[in-house]
Amino acid sequence: MQILFVCLGNICRSPLADGLLRKKVTENKLDVLVDSAGTAGYHIGEAPDSRMIATAKARNTDLSFLRARQFKASDFGIFERIYVMDTANLKNVLSIAKTEAERAKVSLVLDSIEPGMEVPDPYYGNQAGFDHVYDLLDEATTHIILKLKDGTL
Ligand code: 4NP
């Protein structure tokens, strides 16, 4: 299984989902490729936002080794599941898809928890926003692990 998380900048939300799922995949001894990307190219090559790194580190999740990259059409050939953070990401990723099979790989990451729910962008907010994003993506990635283990993903 290959799983990609996508947000706008690939420095806040999707790196957190990426780091959380990598950690849980290792803990559960699963064989899964995990990566993340942004629909925008503003932060290519950068480490995650220092506030996101600190928020994750406080809860034993390392994000410091991740580097931002931009989502590209060829990602559809590599990843079986593409989880986006909000409806703007959904629209952008779907606009790059060429086939129905590619479109079927894409969904909101919180859809299985609360249909239609978005992970809010914490970039212009405060620490509470970063903690909230952590809680949401911690739950979402645990849900993904459960589905990987019972073979329903
Ligand atoms: P992300 O957050 O999409 O969760 O990585 C953002 C990061 C950067 C910007 C916007 C959102 N920005 O405008 O630079």
Side-chain angles (χ1 to χ4, degrees):
M1 173 62 73
Q2 304 82 22
I3 296 175
L4 181 69
F5 295 103
V6 177
C7 62
L8 176 61
N10 193 210
I11 57 167
C12 293
R13 295 164 292 175
S14 64
L16 177 63
D18 184 342
L20 278 166
L21 191 64
R22 283 183 203 229
K23 184 173 88 162
K24 294 174 190 186
V25 159
T26 303
E27 285 167 358
N28 286 276
K29 300 185 171 61
L30 295 168
D31 184 17
V32 182
L33 173 70
V34 184
D35 198 9
S36 59
T39 57
Y42 319 133
H43 298 282
I44 292 171
E46 293 179 22
D49 186 286
S50 57
R51 299 164 295 173
M52 195 80 261
I53 291 179
T55 302
K57 191 178 176 192
R59 305 228 224 154
N60 288 313
T61 306
D62 182 24
L63 306 181
S64 62
F65 63 97
L66 296 169
R67 295 294 177 268
R69 72 170 179 88
Q70 191 166 15
F71 179 79
K72 49 190 189 292
S74 58
D75 285 317
F76 282 113
I78 299 169
F79 296 95
E80 275 185 69
R81 297 277 179 269
I82 299 172
Y83 290 113
V84 300
M85 301 293 140
D86 63 33
T87 52
N89 310 148
L90 186 65
K91 194 171 164 229
N92 284 324
V93 170
L94 288 176
S95 74
I96 297 169
K98 292 186 191 69
T99 65
E100 195 48 49
E102 289 183 351
R103 283 188 279 278
K105 296 180 174 194
V106 189
S107 61
L108 286 167
V109 69
L110 299 180
D111 238 358
S112 59
I113 296 168
E114 172 87 48
M117 189 174 168
E118 302 182 299
V119 180
D121 183 350
Y123 192 66
Y124 294 105
N126 57 18
Q127 183 58 42
F130 282 85
D131 288 329
H132 182 53
V133 166
Y134 190 98
D135 291 337
L136 291 172
L137 290 174
D138 193 24
E139 187 179 355
T141 51
T142 292
H143 205 86
I144 290 170
I145 291 287
L146 292 175
K147 288 195 282 189
L148 285 166
K149 286 172 90 168
D150 70 16
T152 58
L153 197 69

